[in-house]
Amino acid sequence: MMNQRSLWRSFLWIVLALSAGGYAIACGSDDGDLPGQKVYVSLGDSVAAGNGASDARSTGFAAVLAQRRAVELQNFAAAGATTSDVIERQLDRALRTIEEGDVAFVTISAGGNDFAGLIPNASCVEDPLPASCPIDETLLGVEANLREILARIRKADADVLVLLLGYP
């Protein structure tokens, strides 16, 4: 089994690499429509839901991205959602949209609340982390859930662009 430092390093590199792809799309040119692809599907937590934006429906990152790319936003995200919540409460509705076709891309912003669940565990704020902090299990759970989400999206549409967003 990987040690804690290796797991964190792997997780951070994956998030950084994938979020760089998200940045390229979000900051790409404003050259209008994506031909034949009219819908953007957003999954995840409060970041994707637009919490903290002055108006989630117009100034949240998903709304701004949809406007910039001239696509319709189907935002299934909810504040407080964990990766398990995405699977249980958001994914089936999103998959129906994806299976209908015309989906330009999908963003997933999830995992932070899985880790936030560790905060009440006093051992998880110690440095170095003791074995009593279930960080390894949490990392493995987030990875397994993200793999399931991606596999189910790929089954619905093997070619749709999927961007996993990292946290600032």
Side-chain angles (χ1 to χ4, degrees):
M1 183 171 181
M2 296 178 80
N3 68 34
Q4 175 181 322
R5 185 179 303 266
S6 295
L7 280 170
W8 269 113
R9 186 176 296 130
S10 296
F11 176 75
L12 291 174
W13 276 112
I14 290 167
V15 169
L16 288 172
L18 292 172
S19 64
Y23 182 80
I25 290 292
C27 296
S29 67
D30 286 326
D31 54 5
D33 245 354
L34 298 171
Q37 299 174 323
K38 309 279 189 244
V39 179
Y40 156 33
V41 172
S42 176
L43 298 169
D45 55 22
S46 59
V47 173
N51 288 45
S54 58
D55 176 17
R57 292 186 174 165
S58 64
T59 62
F61 95 82
V64 170
L65 182 54
Q67 188 274 328
R68 288 192 63 184
R69 302 311 302 171
V71 292
E72 173 192 344
L73 173 61
Q74 293 291 316
N75 195 342
F76 301 103
T82 62
T83 54
S84 292
D85 293 329
V86 171
I87 292 168
E88 296 167 10
R89 299 186 183 128
Q90 300 175 25
L91 192 54
D92 286 341
R93 293 180 296 152
L95 292 174
R96 284 192 293 274
T97 300
I98 293 166
E99 289 167 349
E100 290 172 4
D102 294 337
V103 173
F105 55 95
V106 177
T107 59
I108 304 167
S109 174
N113 290 317
D114 297 76
F115 294 105
L118 297 174
I119 293 170
N121 184 333
S123 69
C124 291
V125 295
E126 295 178 26
D127 187 20
L129 291 175
S132 58
C133 178
I135 190 75
D136 292 340
E137 294 84 359
T138 302
L139 281 166
L140 293 171
V142 168
E143 178 185 11
N145 287 343
L146 289 172
R147 285 182 186 276
E148 179 179 343
I149 294 164
L150 291 170
R152 291 181 61 190
I153 290 171
R154 287 287 169 242
K155 185 175 179 183
D157 182 342
D159 297 320
V160 70
L161 177 63
V162 179
L163 303 166
L164 180 62
L165 305 175
Y167 292 88

